[in-house]
Each structure stands twice: as structure tokens, then as C-alpha cells.
Amino acid sequence: MSSKASKLAPIEPATQSVDSLEGAIGVFDSGIGGLSVLKALRAEMPQERFIYWADSGYAPYGERSDDFVIARSHDITEQLLAKGPMKAVVVACNTATAVAIESLRTHYSGLPFIGVEPALKPALAQTQTGCVGVIGTQGTLNSTRFDKLLKTVQTDALPKQGHFVLQACQGLALAIEQQTEKSSSDTAEIEKLCAKYIQGMGLFGQASGQIDTLVLGCTHYIFVQTILQKLVGADVQLISTSEAVAKQTKRLISPAPEAPRTQASSSKPEHIELWTTGALSSLQSAALRWLDLPPEYCHQAATQSFSPP
């Protein structure tokens, strides 16, 4: 771990239980990709208050060092906690989950962290050809956490055999990030990148040896699902994790039946805040396009000095 990350002060465990804690649910990603998770969270828990942090000024995480991602994840958590009590923090970024979530859970031991991981187990359960494709960032696919997940899924599935075709999609998350300020029909660059990576994985289809299931291993990729589906064919299943993460978050923060909350949070739109370290206009465009939220719900995070490890 870098000196920047290793010098982070330990955080005292929270004294409040998850059940009794009143506050917001924090959600962060390297950029706007985590809005797909936020959308699912709002659908699952419309009564909750959410604070979303898009770290677009330091994106993409998938092409950064582990130490950099860990340090940024700690810094963002501090920023979220500075805005008030947190019931939980959703790490809506595959790379940050793979690299930083264990460090976050150690330092903030009283705060639940929910991560996102490529849906390998559901994909292996659904595939008919036994061949599953996984697209993600280099940081996610090269991580120790992903390697452990892959081996566990394959072992648990025995005697069923599964073959996973992994494809790192360098530049795709950033292209999706940048596309938010373009016309929704201006997708030429993204289509070119998607085609390049999909074609490099082999044949898709229902025949023996062909990939019949594609795991979207980055939260950004759900926003180009239509493009990906067209490339792989209508018979190929695309699997993401947003809904599963939302259900897991709800389960963790829900009070026990014998201890109901005394006051429900409002479901009004104003009980959501979106912050960015990048261009405010990009977050505003993405929020309007994908969440139907007007610009006033988006805010510019104060610029802070940050030295990459």
C-alpha cells in the first residue's frame, strides 16, 4: 500500500446499530456508471435518502493503480460521512469493490459497505452452452478478489463445467463517461470500442462452444446495453448486478420486525444529492438522461489537493 493510503487514520467503530441509525445511504463510483446502481436502489427503497458521489475528476479507476483506488475510496467515504450519518455505503464500482472494499471495511468497521461484483454465479447457472463472457476494466479482471471469485464460482458449480472468456475493455468506461454531454445518438466512438472488444472474445450464440451469456462487469456498461445486445445477438443473455445490489442493501439496513423505524424518510426527489469531482455539466446530463433528475440535484464538489500514490 502506498504511503498515502497507509497513513489513513483508523476510524473508531460506530456505536449505533444499523437498525437504529438514521441517515442517508451513500453511493459512489469513479464516475456516472454507478447511477445504474442508484436507479435500482431508488426503485427498491423509494423512502430512503441517497447521496451519490461521482469521482469523475479521477476517472477511470480501472486504469489506475490499486493504491490510487484505495486512497480515493477512503477520501470519498470521508466526504460522505462529513455530510451526516450514513446507514450504509454502496461501492457502486467494480474496480473499487475489487481493490478497496476490504480496506474500507477494516477502517470503518461500524459502517456497512456493499460492493458490486461481476455476476459470475448467476451467469454460470443460466448458460446453456457452458461458455460465459465477462467484460470489465483491467483493474477488476486483474484483481485478486476477482480471481478468487472466479475460482470459487467454478468450484461451487461442480460437476457443471463452465468456461469464462474474459475481456478487459480499456477506454470504454471513459468513453461512456464522456458521451453524457453528447447527443444520445452520437455513439460512434462507443460502438467502435464495443465492436472491437466483443469481436475479440470469439463467437456468440447458442451453438456448442459459443458464448451465450455476457456478464457486464462494470457499472458503466449497462448504459450501452442496447449496443452490446445488437453486437452479440438477441439470443445472448446480458447480466448486470444493480438489482441484486439494491436488494442486498435493503436487507442490510432494514430494521428488525420487532424494532420498526419511528419515522420513515420521505420519498420526494429532493431527498437525493449528486456530487461530482469532474464536470458538473456531465453529471447533470447523465442524471437527467438516466434518472430524470433536473440539474438542481447535482452539485460540484470542492476541489481538493490529491497526490496520486
Side-chain angles (χ1 to χ4, degrees):
M1 185 179 292
S2 71
S3 57
K4 175 77 176 181
S6 61
K7 291 180 180 178
L8 289 167
I11 303 299
E12 292 299 323
T15 57
Q16 291 176 290
S17 69
V18 177
D19 290 346
S20 65
L21 185 63
E22 291 296 331
I25 297 174
V27 185
F28 78 85
D29 181 36
S30 62
I32 54 87
L35 292 178
S36 61
V37 178
L38 179 60
K39 184 176 182 178
L41 286 164
R42 292 181 73 207
E44 187 70 28
M45 297 173 287
Q47 78 282 2
E48 296 293 345
R49 176 171 171 253
F50 296 95
I51 300 177
Y52 181 84
W53 190 281
D55 204 28
S56 301
Y58 301 93
Y61 282 2
E63 296 164 29
R64 299 283 197 174
S65 69
D66 287 1
D67 286 347
F68 183 96
V69 175
I70 291 170
R72 285 305 305 156
S73 297
H74 278 263
D75 187 70
I76 292 167
T77 301
E78 289 292 335
Q79 297 299 321
L80 291 172
L81 289 171
K83 298 185 181 303
M86 289 286 138
K87 295 179 181 179
V89 173
V90 178
V91 184
C93 173
N94 288 85
T95 301
T97 297
V99 172
I101 199 166
E102 295 307 326
S103 175
L104 291 170
R105 286 169 174 164
T106 298
H107 279 83
Y108 304 88
S109 57
L111 180 62
F113 285 89
I114 301 94
V116 294
E117 291 182 318
L120 304 186
K121 185 175 181 179
L124 188 55
Q126 293 181 39
T127 179
Q128 297 300 308
T129 66
C131 196
V132 175
V134 184
I135 54 176
T137 67
Q138 195 74 52
T140 295
L141 300 185
N142 283 351
S143 68
T144 301
R145 189 180 181 91
F146 177 81
D147 184 60
K148 182 179 179 180
L149 174 65
L150 180 59
K151 290 177 180 176
T152 299
V153 168
Q154 290 177 316
T155 300
D156 290 348
L158 293 174
K160 183 175 182 178
Q161 298 290 327
H163 175 60
F164 289 86
V165 179
L166 311 182
Q167 177 64 61
C169 301
Q170 184 172 0
L172 181 55
L174 181 59
I176 295 170
E177 194 88 13
Q178 295 172 338
Q179 203 271 338
T180 55
E181 290 196 272
K182 301 177 182 178
S183 165
S184 58
S185 61
D186 185 6
T187 58
E189 180 183 359
I190 289 175
E191 289 179 14
K192 183 178 179 181
L193 281 172
C194 287
K196 171 186 174 183
Y197 294 126
I198 291 298
Q199 290 168 8
M201 298 179 74
L203 296 176
F204 285 80
Q206 301 298 312
S208 177
Q210 293 184 336
I211 302 170
D212 70 345
T213 307
L214 180 64
V215 176
L216 308 185
C218 173
T219 52
H220 282 75
Y221 298 168
I222 192 68
F223 295 126
V224 293
Q225 181 174 357
T226 301
I227 295 172
L228 292 169
Q229 193 74 71
K230 184 178 179 180
L231 287 167
V232 300
D235 292 337
V236 174
Q237 302 178 86
L238 271 57
I239 300 181
S240 64
T241 57
S242 297
E243 289 76 15
V245 170
K247 291 183 184 301
Q248 170 70 353
T249 304
K250 182 179 181 179
R251 186 188 69 80
L252 284 176
I253 71 166
S254 293
E258 63 273 18
R261 283 191 194 137
T262 57
Q263 182 178 357
S265 302
S266 170
S267 61
K268 295 180 180 179
E270 56 262 31
H271 285 268
I272 183 169
E273 299 175 29
L274 285 74
W275 294 82
T276 183
T277 56
L280 180 60
S281 57
S282 293
L283 180 60
Q284 290 173 331
S285 297
L288 182 61
R289 182 181 300 182
W290 291 316
L291 299 179
D292 292 323
L293 286 175
E296 55 262 33
Y297 295 108
C298 302
H299 310 277
Q300 182 72 60
T303 303
Q304 295 182 333
S305 175
F306 184 84
S307 300

